[in-house]
Amino acid sequence: MKKVFLMVVVAMMTAMSVNAQSNEPRHEIGLSYGLGASAVFDGLGYGISNGIFDSLTGVEAKTKDDIGTVAIEYFYHLNNPRIAIGGIVAYAHYSDDVVKKKDNDIKVGERERDYFTVMPAVKYDWVHKSHFALYSKAAAGVMFHNSNEKDLAANKEYKDNDTFFMYQLSFIGMEFGAKVRGFFEAGVGEQGIILGGVKFKF
């Protein structure tokens, strides 16, 4: 009789636990802003190619607009609520004025670059509470790069489109709140070295 009673209690506790998990919000949509993302990628690419050419020709690119990276992300929490899968869509834009260093920085050209990135992602909560979570996040996908360069002296315009592998590794992330949460992350990749934003859980 005691064994039957114990089995009933365990079954009830298990059912209550499963029900509690199923009542948790499974979906989350987040909007973030990050710094130190495409700027690093962009600097490497242009430093190796155009940077060498610019140094030989006496011109220099001066940043005019640098909006950082804006991203939208979606995650779905599995039966184990600590694990979530989803995706990230990110956008970044940079523009430079190209000036001639030997002629008092006379503007001789313009550069504009746009980055669109789409990445499947996974997230794991190390700490999972109703009003707080400590987590790590990993994503990898494809970046679409569009560039437009104008040579004002020659009145010429050059356009280029490329596709690259891109990723986001957020080593540590924290979120606070109930259904509406603020969050901060530190890592490396297209969303940024440091990023923050707001997310909605439903």
Side-chain angles (χ1 to χ4, degrees):
M1 187 71 178
K2 288 182 180 179
K3 288 183 179 180
V4 173
F5 178 74
L6 270 171
M7 290 175 63
V8 170
V9 170
V10 169
M12 288 177 65
M13 290 178 66
T14 302
M16 288 172 65
S17 175
V18 170
N19 186 53
Q21 286 187 7
S22 64
N23 287 335
E24 288 189 17
R26 294 228 177 177
H27 307 270
E28 62 178 66
I29 295 177
L31 178 65
S32 71
Y33 174 77
L35 297 173
S38 288
V40 176
F41 179 84
D42 183 76
L44 288 173
Y46 277 89
I48 294 171
S49 58
N50 293 346
I52 296 173
F53 177 78
D54 291 350
S55 64
L56 294 174
T57 56
V59 299
E60 180 182 7
K62 292 192 173 182
T63 301
K64 183 171 61 175
D65 293 317
D66 177 354
I67 68 165
T69 301
V70 178
I72 297 175
E73 58 183 48
Y74 166 79
F75 283 98
Y76 174 78
H77 289 262
L78 304 179
N79 288 333
N80 180 349
R82 290 177 179 268
I83 303 173
I85 57 173
I88 301 167
V89 177
Y91 170 73
H93 172 83
Y94 298 90
S95 65
D96 303 321
D97 284 335
V98 180
V99 299
K100 208 159 190 178
K101 293 183 288 185
K102 293 182 180 179
D103 293 333
N104 298 318
D105 287 352
I106 294 177
K107 183 176 174 180
V108 295
E110 296 175 346
R111 291 176 181 167
E112 291 192 3
R113 283 98 64 208
D114 293 289
Y115 300 90
F116 299 91
T117 306
V118 180
M119 301 179 287
V122 62
K123 189 175 78 162
Y124 181 79
D125 288 358
W126 301 103
V127 177
H128 184 82
K129 303 291 184 182
S130 59
H131 289 79
F132 172 77
L134 186 70
Y135 62 90
S136 296
K137 182 176 76 181
V142 60
M143 168 190 278
F144 303 96
H145 167 229
N146 300 317
S147 67
N148 185 9
E149 301 189 20
K150 294 179 181 179
D151 185 338
L152 300 180
N155 195 25
K156 291 183 178 180
E157 188 171 349
Y158 308 91
K159 294 185 177 182
D160 189 26
N161 300 301
D162 292 302
T163 304
F164 301 97
F165 167 79
M166 189 44 68
Y167 63 92
Q168 175 68 32
L169 296 174
S170 292
F171 304 114
I172 191 70
M174 291 183 290
E175 57 184 63
F176 308 85
K179 290 187 176 180
V180 179
R181 293 191 171 194
F183 68 95
F184 304 92
E185 297 178 13
V188 62
E190 182 54 18
Q191 274 188 285
I193 295 173
I194 297 174
L195 64 112
V198 63
K199 64 178 61 175
F200 306 90
K201 299 175 77 75
F202 59 97

